[in-house]
Amino acid sequence: MDFIENLAINSEIVIINLLFQIKTIVRSDKRTVLFYRDTSVEHQVDDCFKEVWNMISVKEINEGDIESYLKRVGITLMSNLDSKSMQPKKRPVKRKRKVKMLNSHLTSDILKEFD
């Protein structure tokens, strides 16, 4: 929302005019985020489906049981979902190295001043 306020002079008026096309969410850090709501994609969900969806509980089922059930049904799991692959890689520690002076003609005892 800060970006829109900086971009448009009358941002509040623009937001009020587009209120039916915009979904607003307030984040935990009190910043407001705006999302475009595409009404052509929205559809109604049947009440029977909502009831059945809310009746199903998976709190007691662990990941191993879910994997074995999916294998029995014939659904294969994605192979890239290992816990090791999801962890960020650590950067190697940079160490100070001794550098050999290659420009020996620049040392102070060799340089001469010409007036």
Side-chain angles (χ1 to χ4, degrees):
M1 181 119 166
D2 297 335
F3 179 73
I4 293 175
E5 289 175 354
N6 292 337
L7 186 65
I9 297 171
N10 300 327
S11 62
E12 295 175 1
I13 297 170
V14 172
I15 292 172
I16 291 171
N17 289 338
L18 298 174
L19 195 58
F20 67 94
Q21 294 178 349
I22 295 175
K23 171 109 174 132
T24 59
I25 295 176
V26 179
R27 296 188 332 185
S28 60
D29 61 351
K30 307 297 183 206
R31 295 184 74 183
T32 305
V33 182
L34 303 175
F35 292 98
Y36 176 71
R37 180 186 300 172
D38 190 4
T39 56
S40 66
V41 180
E42 292 181 2
H43 60 280
Q44 295 294 326
V45 179
D46 198 17
D47 290 333
C48 295
F49 182 78
K50 288 180 184 179
E51 290 176 13
V52 172
W53 183 269
N54 291 330
M55 285 175 35
I56 298 173
S57 174
V58 292
K59 293 179 183 176
E60 302 86 25
I61 303 174
N62 60 13
E63 290 185 24
D65 293 338
I66 294 173
E67 288 178 13
S68 62
Y69 174 76
L70 292 175
K71 286 180 184 176
R72 271 186 297 161
V73 175
I75 300 173
T76 58
L77 296 174
M78 293 177 57
S79 61
N80 295 344
L81 293 178
D82 296 337
S83 61
K84 294 178 183 177
S85 65
M86 300 300 271
Q87 295 176 352
K89 295 181 180 179
K90 294 181 181 179
R91 294 184 179 182
V93 178
K94 294 182 179 178
R95 297 181 182 154
K96 294 182 180 179
R97 297 179 182 168
K98 293 182 181 180
V99 179
K100 182 178 179 182
M101 179 87 168
L102 297 176
N103 296 333
S104 59
H105 64 280
L106 295 178
T107 57
S108 62
D109 58 335
I110 298 177
L111 293 177
K112 298 179 184 177
E113 291 186 26
F114 296 99
D115 291 326

